[in-house]
Amino acid sequence: MNCKGKQRTVFIPKKLRKMLLDYCETAGIVSGSVFVTKRGNPVNRSNIWKELRAICAAAHVEPHKVFPHNFRHLFAVSYYRMAKDVAKLADLLGHASIDTTRIYIMESGAEHERQMEKLGLVV
């Protein structure tokens, strides 16, 4: 995938890959974009944002709190909680610097406080 002038490899779990292949077979897709608009153009960020706004309205969530990029943050936080490896996460996200990746996984003061309490250093 090409994004911001960088070539990125997107890893897809086997289960999702099978689901996508099954979808393509059922829909008769043999080449080109898998997800397209009503007019046949590839789905892009603005299309996803429009769909998210519609979902927000139905779910009574304030639209200014939802962005397509939030999915990237959700992936980063989920991966880091599982693997605890910021270097591998930086590779997956295509970041040249781990400092950029740290922005995705920064925890709140409340989380730091909870972790400090778990240490049990004060008796």
Side-chain angles (χ1 to χ4, degrees):
M1 181 172 91
N2 239 333
C3 182
K4 296 182 183 178
K6 297 179 185 177
Q7 185 71 22
R8 294 185 176 162
T9 300
V10 178
F11 296 97
I12 302 174
K14 288 178 186 177
K15 186 175 181 179
L16 178 57
R17 191 167 49 239
K18 178 163 179 7
M19 292 170 70
L20 285 169
L21 288 170
D22 290 346
Y23 171 79
C24 287
E25 186 177 333
T26 301
I29 301 169
V30 293
S31 66
S33 298
V34 175
F35 303 107
V36 295
T37 64
K38 291 176 184 174
R39 293 185 179 153
N41 297 320
V43 169
N44 63 33
R45 183 184 179 114
S46 65
N47 301 125
I48 294 169
W49 202 327
K50 184 178 177 183
E51 289 292 325
L52 284 176
R53 282 193 299 253
I55 292 168
C56 286
H60 306 290
V61 173
E62 297 176 43
H64 72 272
K65 292 186 175 185
V66 179
F67 301 91
H69 196 76
N70 291 359
F71 291 116
R72 187 169 167 86
H73 283 270
L74 176 62
F75 168 79
V77 169
S78 299
Y79 182 89
Y80 184 75
R81 284 183 182 155
M82 179 201 65
K84 299 288 190 229
D85 189 333
V86 71
K88 284 184 183 174
L89 178 58
D91 286 344
L92 284 170
L93 295 176
H95 293 159
S97 167
I98 288 177
D99 289 335
T100 304
T101 308
R102 289 187 71 237
I103 293 168
Y104 284 73
I105 58 173
M106 287 198 319
E107 295 181 345
S108 68
E111 179 63 19
H112 291 308
E113 184 178 351
R114 187 185 67 73
Q115 289 172 345
M116 293 295 291
E117 290 297 331
K118 281 178 66 176
L119 289 173
L121 297 175
V122 179
V123 288

